[in-house]
Amino acid sequence: MTGRAVGPSPAGGGDPVRAPETASVPQRGKRAWILLALTLLVPGGAQVVAGDRRLGRAALRVTLAVWAVLLAALVLFLVQRDLLLRLAADPTWQLGGIIVLAALAIGWAVLWVDTLRLVRLRLLAPGMRPLVAACSVLALVATSGVLGYGSWAVNAGRNALGSIFEAGPAIEPVDGRYNFLLMGGDAGEGRLGLRPDSIHVASMNARTGHTIVFSLPRNFQNAQFTEDSPLWQAYPEGFDCGDECILNALYVDVNENHRDLYPDAEDPGAEAMKDAAGGILGLEVQSYALVDMGGFAQLIDAMGGVTVTSGGWTTYRGTRPDGQWGNAWWGPGTYTFDGEDALAFARSRHFSTDYSRIRRQQCIQSAMLAQFNPQTLVTRFQGILDAGEQIVETDLPGQQLGTFVGLASKARSQEMGQLTIGPPDFGSQGDQFTTYPDFELVHQRVGEMLAEDGTPQAAGGMPAPLLVVDAAAGVLAGAAPDPAGSEGSGPADWPEPPRQPDGDPIDPEWLMYLEDTGQIGLLEEAAKTNHLCVAGTG
């Protein structure tokens, strides 16, 4: 019996997975899709079944480690979210994340290239080749590309945070709270130097994250300083030189005339504002952030705008009904503002008051807090990052950023407390509370709010500043606070907006007529409810 000589078996011993040349054309196509799916879902799997097993096993070990880390992160997210946020905001952990993400991106790209080699495009049907190749490239971009972008984003964020925050020692809570002075800087036309145009103290519960914002009118006078403040030497009776000594003028005054009182401070004016805010409220203000108003508008644009509902007529610079440039008006209703319009809405005080303006600022802040969520951060990362770098300065220590991020996350689920140190929370519009403040009453009310939040009555622990009383003025007011300005908590509780004297609804044309004819009193009456504002659609 004669037989035919049999040659050596193909590599893989006839196994179509390792030796696709032994398989049929349909089998080769199926094999190609399986290898791509393995590399997408189980990186290293394609190499184990069809290529270099040593490379595949190493990749599988990395894959299992990644899944373990993700599972641990999920558990932390569910049971210890604050710890996870602190780790994510820590510069050392961020550096580790940058390196790991970059290594994973490179490693996965190597696996994709090797998988495409294992597929052997030349053995596939002609119509299948471009489809498999295109899907491989898309999958590489969707995996390695995303990881590479993640590494870049973490690095960019880490560098930005490093340029914004200080490298100094950690600050400790005082009486269970962190107290931050937040200032919006304005170096606008006609002003000498940068002046804080928006002044707030955010007092954050160090345990729960609940935040109370104390708003200080820019025209607040007779700010007091405690004996341990350097400004006690210059102003032992308080910042009391008259109308020129309003609160926001202190920043420029100290930077120009009293820098020597704060020899170690990078920004003596900001340190002075901390002392003034602390003296007014009876709190120890531990840190500050001074934000350029241009950066504020840019941040809102980066977030995609903010939505608020207004209960009154608010003026802004724009196109009037007659087509001329001048004072235009936003009426009652819901608006989604871009950065420029949000800034104009928050700062408008024409035909209105500083106190109405503070209410609108608080409303914009609440809207930003409500909309600043992980989805916004991920989808608008670059713009938010660029806007964040507009912060002029802060003395917040970078090493505690994780702590503050964790507390801020808790704060998002709680209603923010608010108190304006002036009408309508103290006195009423038209009186002189901000000129002749009752500091004892302010300290009492601040202390009550902090006590209600579960922290000691911190305001009682500060040396009481001098009580400024002008007997001739005879006005020391102290009305009970209403966070909604005595008009309830939302549009359903608000009073109806003012009407024209004949009962007709107010419209922009009538307001333009009033301005052109100099009827300022009616314009002020029309704008009297523009302090009513809530975040969102109400």
Side-chain angles (χ1 to χ4, degrees):
M1 180 175 180
T2 61
R4 186 174 53 181
V6 179
S9 298
D15 180 0
V17 175
R18 288 192 165 271
E21 62 271 13
T22 65
S24 64
V25 172
Q27 288 178 323
R28 295 171 188 172
K30 183 178 180 180
R31 171 183 175 275
W33 292 118
I34 290 174
L35 294 180
L36 292 182
L38 283 173
T39 302
L40 178 64
L41 302 175
V42 190
Q47 284 67 35
V48 168
V49 301
D52 185 340
R53 287 193 174 95
R54 186 169 58 181
L55 173 63
R57 288 167 183 156
L60 285 176
R61 284 193 288 270
V62 173
T63 299
L64 290 175
V66 169
W67 279 109
V69 170
L70 292 176
L71 180 61
L74 177 61
V75 172
L76 284 177
F77 181 79
L78 296 175
V79 301
Q80 283 287 340
R81 186 175 304 184
D82 294 342
L83 175 59
L84 181 62
L85 289 172
R86 286 199 298 270
L87 293 176
D90 183 87
T92 302
W93 282 87
Q94 289 173 352
L95 178 60
I98 293 167
I99 296 172
V100 169
L101 288 173
L104 291 176
I106 295 171
W108 214 339
V110 169
L111 293 179
W112 279 116
V113 172
D114 188 60
T115 299
L116 194 59
R117 178 187 66 82
L118 295 174
V119 165
R120 302 188 193 180
L121 289 176
R122 61 182 178 80
L123 297 179
L124 299 179
M128 183 71 73
R129 294 171 190 171
L131 185 60
V132 170
C135 287
S136 298
V137 172
L138 289 175
L140 185 151
V141 171
T143 53
S144 291
V146 168
L147 289 172
Y149 175 80
S151 179
W152 169 86
V154 174
N155 184 60
R158 183 173 182 269
N159 290 337
L161 294 175
S163 67
I164 292 171
F165 293 94
E166 292 285 325
I171 59 175
E172 297 296 329
V174 175
D175 296 313
R177 307 194 73 85
Y178 293 107
N179 301 310
F180 309 113
L181 175 64
L182 309 176
M183 298 178 287
D186 184 5
E189 183 179 354
R191 288 194 169 184
L192 180 62
L194 184 146
R195 287 192 181 190
D197 202 46
S198 171
I199 308 166
H200 309 273
V201 173
S203 182
M204 179 178 286
N205 189 308
R207 181 177 57 85
T208 67
H210 181 250
T211 302
I212 302 172
V213 175
F214 301 104
S215 298
L216 305 175
R218 56 184 288 277
N219 65 342
F220 193 96
Q221 294 186 35
N222 294 299
Q224 301 292 288
F225 310 101
T226 57
E227 292 187 23
D228 59 350
S229 168
L231 280 176
W232 183 272
Q233 303 174 38
Y235 300 107
E237 304 296 322
F239 195 45
D240 63 351
C241 63
D243 291 343
E244 294 299 316
C245 284
I246 61 176
L247 182 58
N248 77 336
L250 179 64
Y251 184 91
V252 176
D253 177 73
V254 170
N255 274 334
E256 291 186 349
N257 304 315
H258 302 292
R259 297 184 68 90
D260 58 303
L261 297 178
Y262 297 90
D264 299 325
E266 292 188 13
D267 187 343
E271 294 295 330
M273 293 295 292
K274 284 168 57 178
D275 286 352
I280 292 169
L281 300 173
L283 298 175
E284 181 177 335
V285 179
Q286 300 131 298
S287 197
Y288 76 90
L290 176 60
V291 183
D292 177 17
M293 285 301 193
F296 174 84
Q298 186 180 346
L299 179 59
I300 291 177
D301 284 336
M303 293 174 61
V306 290
T307 300
V308 299
T309 299
S310 171
W313 288 89
T314 306
T315 187
Y316 67 99
R317 298 295 291 173
T319 304
R320 304 188 336 158
D322 62 0
Q324 300 297 313
W325 183 262
N327 287 320
W329 293 81
W330 286 301
T334 298
Y335 298 90
T336 296
F337 289 126
D338 61 17
E340 183 178 352
D341 285 345
L343 189 58
F345 178 79
R347 299 174 68 184
S348 175
R349 59 175 177 266
H350 208 35
F351 310 122
S352 187
T353 67
D354 270 332
Y355 314 111
S356 295
R357 179 173 177 266
I358 285 174
R359 291 292 187 185
R360 281 181 265 110
Q361 289 174 354
Q362 294 170 340
C363 182
I364 292 292
Q365 290 165 355
S366 297
M368 292 177 67
L369 182 63
Q371 293 175 216
F372 196 81
N373 50 46
Q375 292 84 356
T376 301
L377 183 61
V378 170
T379 57
R380 301 178 180 273
F381 175 79
Q382 183 60 57
I384 291 174
L385 185 66
D386 291 341
E389 294 190 78
Q390 292 295 320
I391 293 179
V392 176
E393 61 189 46
T394 180
D395 60 354
L396 282 168
Q399 63 172 294
Q400 280 186 287
L401 183 59
T403 298
F404 300 141
V405 168
L407 290 174
S409 177
K410 289 182 178 181
R412 288 191 67 253
S413 62
Q414 306 175 63
E415 184 176 354
M416 184 171 61
Q418 296 177 348
L419 184 69
T420 300
I421 311 304
D425 289 337
F426 290 88
S428 59
Q429 295 188 20
D431 70 19
Q432 301 183 58
F433 185 90
T434 55
T435 304
Y436 308 101
D438 182 344
F439 288 103
E440 288 184 348
L441 180 60
V442 171
H443 291 184
Q444 176 188 338
R445 294 275 295 283
V446 170
E448 289 172 354
M449 292 188 73
L450 300 185
E452 290 174 3
D453 192 34
T455 53
Q457 195 162 346
M462 295 284 288
L466 296 175
L467 176 63
V468 178
V469 180
D470 188 331
V475 284
L476 285 176
D482 180 348
S486 302
E487 280 91 8
S489 59
D493 303 314
W494 291 345
E496 183 180 352
R499 289 177 170 267
Q500 298 183 33
D502 61 4
D504 288 341
I506 292 175
D507 56 46
E509 289 77 10
W510 185 70
L511 294 170
M512 179 181 67
Y513 164 77
L514 293 181
E515 184 177 5
D516 289 345
T517 55
Q519 300 186 59
I520 304 302
L522 286 177
L523 286 170
E524 292 175 345
E525 175 68 17
K528 73 177 184 180
T529 62
N530 69 16
H531 64 287
L532 299 174
C533 180
V534 294
T537 59

